Amino acid sequence: MGMLFLIVEDDKQIRKFINFSLRSQDYNCIEAATGKEAMKCISTKDPAAIILDLGLPDMDGIDIIKQVREFSNIPIVVVSARDQDNEKVEALDAGADDYLTKPFSINELLARIRVVLRHSSSNKKEEASVVYKVADLEINLEKHKVTIEGQEIHFTPMEYNVLTLLVRNSGKVLTHKYILKKVWGSYLDSDVQSLRVFMANIRRKLEKNPAKPRYVFTEVGIGYRFTEE
Ligand code: CA
């Protein structure tokens, strides 16, 4: 028996599609069509992750996230329509781990789930690995040293803090607000512009072609995502 996932979605066709996709990868699924059913499944079935549609007939998906986060760190991947960036940001800031935009492919869904499961299991360990390697980039979190193709790259302390936050959460989207709160210690809407400047500097140092990034991706209107591999 594979891992158990809860699919919360009132659209039957989408719900069945997700269920079918996950079962084809040897995951088990339970389905809920309403927020009330979802809350009941979460407390009685103890799923390993939740795939959550935000637009439910009886409850706002964001309220489900808030309620769940009061007692559980279970990974939550939100499913949302393309034109609802505000909703996605709100869901992520309420404690969702990542999001998918409808319509999405099976591969996107599986990639998001892999990442949130990896992060939820690595949180249980004492500390993630000290040396992070992806492609030509190597970051030694203990020595505060960043190299590309063996060449050391210098970052200001603030840039380094932003970079390592992204790296520690690789594959996951981080909202502007989350990054600012973690690195600056506070959040103002007006700080988002300074964050953009920091990201531009980080990219200039990191990317061969900042217009076609290899490592740091912009999620327009939401935040940033460091490459998973
Ligand atoms: Ca819906």
Side-chain angles (χ1 to χ4, degrees), residues 8-11 14 33 53-57 79 102:
V8 187
E9 168 68 75
D10 59 324
D11 184 319
I14 298 176
D53 174 36
L54 290 178
L56 295 168
V79 175
K102 288 179 190 172

Side-chain angles (χ1 to χ4, degrees), residues 107-148:
N107 285 340
E108 278 179 280
L109 171 65
L110 294 171
R112 293 287 171 270
I113 287 173
R114 256 200 330 268
V115 168
V116 297
L117 290 175
R118 178 158 55 77
H119 284 291
S120 79
S121 62
S122 70
N123 283 344
K124 285 171 194 148
K125 290 177 202 153
E126 281 287 292
E127 174 66 43
S129 60
V130 169
V131 180
Y132 178 89
K133 278 185 201 175
V134 60
D136 297 331
L137 175 69
E138 189 174 312
I139 301 174
N140 188 317
L141 297 171
E142 199 176 60
K143 294 179 178 165
H144 286 225
K145 193 173 162 184
V146 183
T147 60
I148 292 178

